[in-house]
Structures are given as C-alpha cells and as structure tokens.
Amino acid sequence: MSRADKVREAFTASYGAHWHATDAYARAVWLGVGLVVSGLFLHQVELVLFGVPFVLSLLLTHKPHGKPTVVVRPVPRGAGAGVVHTVAHVDGVDAEIAVVKLPGGVRAIPAHSPDLPVEVRRDAWGPGVDLRLDHLFAGPDGMHAYGPIVGTEHVRTILPPVEHHPAGPLPPRPAGLVGIHRSPRAGDSTELRDIRAFQPGDRLKRIDWRVTTRTGTVHVRERHAEADAEIVLALDTRADLPADVAQWSTPHYGATTRPEGSLDRAVRRAASMAAGYLRQGDRVALMDLGRPQLNVRSGVGRRHLMRIRTQLVVCAQTAGWASRVALRKLPHGCVVVLLSPFLDDEVADLAVQTRKHGHVVLAINTLPSPLKPDRETAWGEVAAELIAAEHRLRLKRMARHGVVVTTEC
C-alpha cells in the first residue's frame, strides 16, 4: 500500500466520505442551548431572546445529501516536461462551496461552477506525481461539510530529453550492411576502394572505361560496403554526485536524480547519443555497469529509442552502489560509450581493458566541474583539490591507453 493510500484511509477513518457537522454547527448548538437554559434559570428574557434564533436556525438547516465528486482528466502520457494544461470537473451535488487544493495554492469556487482549468508543471524527467486534487465541500451556511478528501494521485513518467549532439567516433568495421559508415568489405557505396582487373562475376556497370582504354585490359571499380556501427552505451549508476562535495554523503529526496548531478548528466547524454546514432541507422545497446539485469539488447528504430529512454529511467530509479562493474558480451568491433564520473580506479581499469580488447572506447566524464568544497570542514578545500587531482590523473591514464576522453555533457 502506498503512502497516499494510507493517508487517504486515515482521513476516511477520521471524517468518512459523508456529510458531517462542522465546528460552527457545534458552536451554534452549545451557544443557543446554553443561552436559552441560562435565561430560564436566571429569569433573564434577554438571554432567551438571544438564544432562540440560534436554535431556530439549526432546526431549519437541513443536512445535505448526495456524494460530491472531483474528476480530473489525466494528462496525456506523451506529454513531456514543461507546462501542461488539464481540466477538473467539480460536481458539488447539494454543496454550495468547493475548496480545492491546486498546485498554485488552495482555491474556493462555487460547487456548481463549470470545469476548472488546472496548470501542471514538471521540469524534471523520471516518474512523479503530476497532480493530486485534495478537496472539501461545504453545505449551506457552512454547517455541514463533506471531507476533506485526499484526491487520487495522477502519476506520469517523463522520459529523458533528447538533445542534438554530434556523433562520437565510429569503427571502420562492418556490423551489418545497412548503415552509412565505411566498411573494409567491398560493396555498392559511393566511396572508391580500389581499381582492379576484371574477374568472372563482376558486373558490367562497374567497368572503368577510362582505365580500360588506357591499359588495353578490362578494369573495374571496387567500392566500399556501407555498414552500420554497433554502439554500446555503458552507464555508471553507482553514484549520483552534485558539484557540492558536502552533499555527497547526504541522500537526495524528491526527484529521481539530483538536478545537474553526475547521474542526471549521464542519462541526458545517453538518451541524446542513442537518438543520434539511431537516426543514422546504427545499432544501439544499453548496459548498466552495476546491474547487468537491466541491460537492453541492441536494436534500431524509433521504438528502440523509446525502449532505451524508458530503461534509462529504470536504471536511475534503482541506482546505488555495486561491488563490481562489468561489461558482458560486447559485440565484436563495437563502440563502447562509457558514461561515468570516474571517481574510482575500477571503472577506469574497465575502460582500459575494454580498449585493449580491440573496442573503440569513448569515456564521457559526467562529474560536475568545478567542485565546490565543504565550507563547514577545515579540510574541505584540500579534500576537493585532492579529489580533482586524482580524477585528472585517472582521465590522463585512460587517454594514454587509447581511450577517447571527453568532458562535454
């Protein structure tokens, strides 16, 4: 049972989803009856005259019936980050006033007003609550109320945004025959590979008549084949680090990741690179360094991009420290894009070993820069400088072993 369900049950147990007397009703009862009784005992007609209107007003006030409701039109699933407009339908039945808690504050409206426009704003990607309209209905004269009722949560997952970034390095190796990159294999692309003597099985349209006329023997043009590249996006989800070193040891609440933290930068860049590579016909796979069960096999197309973006949200939700990092079952000759803050030697060694196995490795540093030292500690500046120095040495060591290192996120 979720926390919202528990809160809803607690409110229902206290007030119930029914009409009940308010505190104003109870005060009117005690005041009217008290004045009448006091006037009779003290023989004060004035007190009786003051109390009788209260008693009569309570006798003439009727208890409302019916079940008021608030129905919200869900926000479309395809809506992304930003401002989204929706509508809430308020049906007050016998009520006069409806008090609704909107994202901008509490608002009192007539219970029989037309549809209520609601503005929802979400800037962060990941799962979250778009809207929860808590509401309360008041009857005539405010003597009876229905609620408060904890509204139903409307949850929506916003996928990581896709930004336009230039593609990274690609290998001159074939992983298929449907891409746009040069392959050492002979094929039918537009790039010239070689001019050689005619052999049985060659097509007549490949004959180079200029060389044939000059040499007196038939020569043909041989061109490169077009191949697609195999891209593996390796995501390091073991830590989510902001620029402020003082917050590294404190948990983060409220969103999937820290805004502008290392994991947020990694997920955004991974989604953008996946979109860029898939757009040019390459095959893209996703691997979680700490949790291989979350890996996504390589694929192509727009549906595969949606699958990768959705899995990136899942990886961010389950992020946490792992004892080991590994890249399993890498395709032969693939490009490995490693997105990590590179705060330990284990992930740096993994990049070097992957490069030694013959893969092209692109290491994207996602650690925010510059680091902000902890001002409450005497050694805060020294610790931040030491972390930054070790980080630079790690990046230089990877670059010396042939790993392409970039800090652009």
Side-chain angles (χ1 to χ4, degrees), residues 9-325:
E9 285 190 359
F11 269 95
T12 304
S14 301
Y15 297 95
H18 59 270
W19 289 98
H20 56 86
T22 61
D23 293 340
Y25 186 91
R27 287 193 296 267
V29 170
W30 285 106
L31 182 59
V33 174
L35 289 175
V36 172
V37 173
S38 300
L40 293 176
F41 274 99
L42 299 177
H43 304 285
Q44 298 288 334
V45 180
E46 296 85 356
L47 296 179
V48 176
L49 293 178
F50 277 113
V52 168
F54 286 99
V55 176
L56 292 178
S57 63
L58 295 176
L59 294 177
L60 296 176
T61 301
H62 68 280
K63 184 178 181 179
H65 299 281
K67 185 178 180 180
T69 57
V70 175
V71 181
V72 182
R73 185 179 67 189
V75 177
R77 295 183 59 185
V83 179
V84 180
H85 296 276
T86 185
V87 174
H89 178 68
V90 181
D91 183 9
V93 191
D94 294 338
E96 286 191 355
I97 298 177
V99 181
V100 183
K101 184 179 180 181
L102 299 172
V106 179
R107 183 176 173 183
I109 59 174
H112 301 284
S113 62
D115 291 344
L116 178 66
V118 181
E119 183 178 277
V120 181
R121 181 178 183 87
R122 280 186 59 192
D123 296 325
W125 57 267
V129 178
D130 275 339
L131 188 64
R132 195 191 76 186
L133 291 187
D134 301 339
H135 51 276
L136 170 71
F137 289 91
D141 302 325
M143 293 298 178
H144 294 85
Y146 188 95
I149 302 297
V150 179
T152 303
E153 292 184 348
H154 294 268
V155 181
R156 178 168 56 102
T157 299
I158 298 180
L159 300 181
V162 173
E163 303 172 356
H164 293 285
H165 292 289
L170 294 172
R173 300 180 181 180
L177 292 175
V178 296
I180 62 172
H181 310 297
R182 190 189 70 181
S183 167
R185 179 184 305 174
D188 295 322
S189 71
T190 58
E191 187 175 356
L192 182 64
R193 181 172 181 263
D194 191 14
I195 297 177
R196 58 174 176 79
F198 182 86
Q199 296 177 358
D202 290 336
R203 296 182 180 180
L204 296 179
K205 66 178 183 179
R206 294 182 179 178
I207 296 177
D208 190 328
W209 295 104
R210 182 177 301 178
V211 179
T212 300
T213 305
R214 187 173 64 249
T215 59
T217 57
V218 181
H219 283 72
V220 295
R221 288 177 174 266
E222 190 176 76
R223 304 181 185 277
H224 284 282
E226 291 180 345
D228 58 353
E230 191 88 15
I231 312 297
V232 175
L233 300 175
L235 191 66
D236 187 359
T237 60
R238 298 176 301 158
D240 186 11
L241 307 175
D244 191 357
V245 179
Q247 299 180 7
W248 286 12
S249 59
T250 59
H252 176 68
Y253 301 102
T256 305
T257 60
R258 300 178 188 267
E260 295 300 324
S262 62
L263 187 55
D264 178 53
R265 292 155 62 93
V267 169
R268 289 174 179 268
R269 187 58 187 270
S272 300
M273 295 190 71
Y277 282 119
L278 290 173
R279 191 180 302 114
Q280 61 188 19
D282 299 322
R283 299 175 60 83
V284 180
L286 176 66
M287 291 189 179
D288 191 320
L289 294 182
R291 293 160 185 81
Q293 66 272 16
L294 301 179
N295 294 350
V296 177
R297 295 182 179 180
S298 60
V300 295
R302 295 180 59 182
R303 294 185 62 181
H304 189 66
L305 175 60
M306 295 294 294
R307 187 180 299 111
I308 288 180
R309 293 172 65 191
T310 304
Q311 195 66 12
L312 285 172
V313 176
V314 176
C315 293
Q317 283 185 279
T318 58
W321 187 256
S323 57
R324 291 186 58 191
V325 293

